Amino acid sequence: MQVIVDNWRQTPPVTRSIFLVTLALSLGVTLEVFTPLKLYFNWKLIWNKGEYWRLISCLFFKGGLTPHTIFDFYICFRYMYSLETSAFRGKPADFITFVFLGCSFFLIAAFTLGLQNMSGAISAMMLYFWARKNPNIEMSFLDIFHFRSCFLPYFLFLMIMLSGYDTMLDLLGMVAGHTYYFCEEVVPRIPQTRSLRLLKAPAWLTAICQFFRLHQFAAADGQAAAGGGGGGGGFFGGGGFWGEDDPRAEELEQ
């Protein structure tokens, strides 16, 4: 039990909060507290009947607790955890901005394209941005296909397409992840736009994160890892999907 508590404490705050919301929605449907019909995106019900919770539930409801849902849980939160503890380490306001901008884009897409559940797009966005930040990790599938991690989103997209499933959510997630990566990682490196951050977290959000001491999690997590003599902790720590996190990834990228 103590191991579970320690791992939970090592899970970063934003990932922890989103995980709780997602788990609560899935448990609510599994236990028949409410039905999925109360959770999907429906603009008429949101606007005319004030069912504003649908703006949140359509983004984070992944379905009842089935093997497929648990796998989607792992994909989403494994890479969300990895991003918050590496690329966004000590920058909770930037990570919240990343999630908020992605969710805003998905809601607009749901309104214009008539989509109802956008949780798969968030998983795809997390995976795509992680792959761009860690492009040189060696991965394999069934020990047959070997490729670098930068190709993982495209590989999964192809597998989903060949399986006959709808790829719209995955495509939207990749577009959102690529847009953020381009604005935050590519634009500041161009000589004409050096140091320009188009999607920088607002000062008021940074102040709120500092008030609640969310920035201090990175230092505490680093001390815990140093004291434990091991790698990443938390429920979603450890090796990456089909590969291990490479501490040299960002160095190799540069």
Side-chain angles (χ1 to χ4, degrees):
M1 187 65 182
Q2 186 60 37
V3 174
I4 297 178
V5 173
D6 291 340
N7 285 335
W8 180 249
R9 288 175 178 173
Q10 293 180 39
T11 302
V14 180
T15 299
R16 184 190 307 171
S17 301
I18 296 178
F19 173 76
L20 287 175
V21 172
T22 305
L23 181 62
L25 292 174
S26 294
L27 282 176
V29 171
T30 302
L31 299 177
E32 299 183 354
V33 177
F34 43 78
T35 69
L37 296 177
K38 289 290 186 178
L39 305 178
Y40 72 93
F41 182 89
N42 186 314
W43 179 248
K44 291 183 178 179
L45 294 178
I46 294 172
W47 182 257
N48 295 329
K49 296 192 175 182
E51 297 183 3
Y52 300 114
W53 67 82
R54 293 179 183 270
L55 295 172
I56 303 297
S57 60
C58 74
L59 292 167
F60 300 110
F61 174 63
K62 294 184 177 298
L65 292 180
T66 64
H68 178 271
T69 302
I70 294 174
F71 178 77
D72 194 18
F73 260 77
Y74 177 80
I75 289 291
C76 181
F77 293 104
R78 169 64 187 92
Y79 293 107
M80 186 181 296
Y81 171 94
S82 182
L83 286 174
E84 191 174 359
T85 56
S86 57
F88 293 97
R89 187 178 185 86
K91 299 181 291 184
D94 288 318
F95 188 59
I96 294 173
T97 300
F98 169 60
V99 176
F100 175 79
L101 291 175
C103 290
S104 299
F105 171 70
F106 300 145
L107 288 175
I108 294 173
F111 178 78
T112 56
L113 300 178
L115 302 175
Q116 296 181 339
N117 192 305
M118 306 300 296
S119 64
I122 295 180
S123 300
M125 179 181 70
M126 295 295 170
L127 175 59
Y128 183 90
F129 191 70
W130 175 88
R132 293 306 300 263
K133 293 293 292 183
N134 303 271
N136 297 301
I137 301 174
E138 291 296 327
M139 296 192 148
S140 65
F141 177 66
L142 300 178
D143 205 26
I144 300 175
F145 302 102
H146 298 268
F147 50 88
R148 291 190 299 145
S149 54
C150 59
F151 298 108
L152 178 58
Y154 307 106
F155 178 81
L156 289 180
F157 182 85
L158 180 63
M159 293 291 291
I160 293 172
M161 184 174 62
L162 293 177
S163 299
Y165 293 101
D166 186 10
T167 58
M168 177 59 70
L169 295 181
D170 299 270
L171 183 61
L172 290 172
M174 293 168 66
V175 169
H178 182 77
T179 301
Y180 187 88
Y181 178 83
F182 180 82
C183 293
E184 286 294 287
E185 302 293 333
V186 177
V187 172
R189 298 183 182 182
I190 300 175
Q192 292 80 0
T193 56
R194 188 174 300 276
S195 301
L196 176 63
R197 294 190 57 195
L198 299 175
L199 304 179
K200 181 180 179 180
W204 61 266
L205 181 58
T206 302
I208 292 177
C209 292
Q210 291 175 340
F211 177 80
F212 287 102
R213 301 180 179 179
L214 298 184
H215 294 77
Q216 296 182 5
F217 176 85
D221 182 52
Q223 293 174 0
F235 283 144
F236 307 102
F241 185 55
W242 293 331
E244 298 294 327
D245 284 347
D246 187 351
R248 303 170 300 155
E250 294 188 5
E251 178 183 347
L252 291 172
E253 181 186 12
Q254 295 176 355

